[in-house]
Amino acid sequence: MEIPDILKEKFSSARRVCVLTGAGISAESGVPTFRSSGSALVWKGMPFTEISSARMVREDLGEVWEWFDYRRNLLKECKPNPGHLALAAWQERFDEFTLVTQNIDNLHRTAGSREVIELHGNIWRARCESCGRLDDIVEKESGVPICRSCSERMRPDVVLFGEMLPVGAFDTAADRATKCDLFFIIGTSAVVYPAAALPETAARSGAFLVEVNPEEAPLTQYCDLSLRGNAGDVLPLFTDL
Ligand code: OAD
């Protein structure tokens, strides 16, 4: 694949660049996506929208931890791929670079991205339901962890269905989307709001919208350009521009 000339020009002259990533950027690292090929992730017969929900946290936090322990265990072996690494290099390149992710897998940080707006939290962190204490999860036994500050229950520090995004994260992302010249939508079906609103915000403010995805997605119709390929193949093509 060749990067089209118009995009080469935009990329070379852009001062403010914003990127929104989703599960697709981690697919080549071995992380399963949520909705690829028309099927949705199911665990113990439950759709992920049910097991990853605010209602499940209220009704069966133990089961929620079991699901997240299972996912962390899969993620342990996953390494950043050339797509993550290319984006980490972009942070040095523009006056303002904003990386917004819906992923909770931490692979952007592992790849070297310093500032990552994690709209849906991080699977490697636990949060106290009562005092809000945050703990990195290094070694975890099975079951529900108890807060070392106030002895209340801790939950995964991730955003579940039926919950609000972390305070400030979306506002910062929306502000950057409004101001950027170039907006990339990488590896996301962009159907989950409010994250999906960011490309719309950028487009309304005059940014050039580029999609990187091997398949068409609902947002394709709003993009100025679609690069049909895997993020791990496409993003390194920008390195020498
Ligand atoms: P989806 O599974 O909905 O979409 C993944 C997208 O990545 C699809 O459009 C694929 O075509 C594309 N894709 C697959 N392999 C790719 C590759 N190698 N390179 C580039 N793109 C590739 O995942 P998300 O859009 O991230 O939220 O889902 C958004 C949110 O829905 C998730 O954060 C999660 C989920 O429910 C919560 O858990 C709150």
Side-chain angles (χ1 to χ4, degrees):
M1 176 192 291
E2 263 275 325
I3 304 291
D5 285 344
I6 174 141
L7 181 53
K8 283 185 183 164
E9 268 166 43
K10 299 264 179 206
F11 194 78
S12 304
S13 62
R15 294 183 50 222
R16 297 192 179 90
V17 173
C18 230
V19 173
L20 172 67
T21 65
I25 194 162
S26 296
E28 291 155 86
S29 295
V31 183
T33 60
F34 296 93
R35 305 179 180 79
S36 279
S37 313
S39 62
L41 211 60
V42 171
W43 188 72
K44 284 193 180 179
M46 267 181 279
F48 71 94
T49 45
E50 195 178 321
I51 181 72
S52 290
S53 70
R55 188 176 64 80
M56 275 302 282
V57 166
R58 284 193 303 274
E59 291 177 4
D60 196 345
L61 185 57
E63 192 77 43
V64 173
W65 270 112
E66 205 182 309
W67 155 239
F68 279 99
D69 288 349
Y70 165 78
R71 287 176 69 188
R72 271 199 334 280
N73 206 36
L74 295 180
L75 285 171
K76 241 178 9 204
E77 310 303 328
C78 298
K79 307 252 178 314
N81 66 57
H84 296 107
L85 296 170
L87 292 182
W90 289 12
Q91 72 195 341
E92 316 297 350
R93 199 176 162 136
F94 303 101
D95 290 353
E96 189 174 279
F97 177 68
T98 306
L99 179 54
V100 186
T101 190
Q102 298 163 91
N103 298 344
I104 58 175
D105 56 31
N106 205 42
L107 289 176
H108 283 304
R109 289 186 198 279
T110 314
S113 288
R114 291 184 295 272
E115 197 201 340
V116 186
I117 300 180
E118 292 171 321
L119 291 179
H120 293 165
N122 190 310
I123 197 168
W124 298 99
R125 260 193 330 256
R127 184 176 83 237
C128 176
E129 287 194 301
S130 176
C131 72
R133 177 193 168 104
L134 294 173
D135 275 340
D136 288 338
I137 301 174
V138 186
E139 302 267 319
K140 179 185 171 298
E141 291 169 12
S142 61
V144 177
I146 298 301
C147 177
R148 281 183 282 151
S149 299
C150 72
S151 305
E152 293 295 332
R153 303 184 317 170
M154 297 193 91
R155 53 162 288 171
D157 187 30
V158 297
V159 175
L160 303 174
F161 286 92
E163 295 185 325
M164 308 285 283
L165 299 192
V167 182
F170 183 77
D171 292 345
T172 307
D175 179 59
R176 305 283 178 87
T178 312
K179 293 178 183 151
C180 72
D181 318 309
L182 195 51
F183 192 102
F184 284 84
I185 305 155
I186 304 172
T188 174
S189 56
V191 290
V192 173
Y193 278 82
L198 294 172
E200 293 169 13
T201 303
R204 268 202 310 276
S205 308
F208 191 82
L209 246 63
V210 182
E211 171 190 53
V212 179
N213 196 317
E215 292 174 31
E216 262 195 36
L219 267 177
T220 299
Q221 54 183 319
Y222 302 110
C223 291
D224 294 295
L225 207 69
S226 293
L227 301 174
R228 289 272 162 261
N230 291 330
D233 297 328
V234 174
L235 297 177
L237 300 177
F238 287 86
T239 304
D240 297 325
L241 294 185

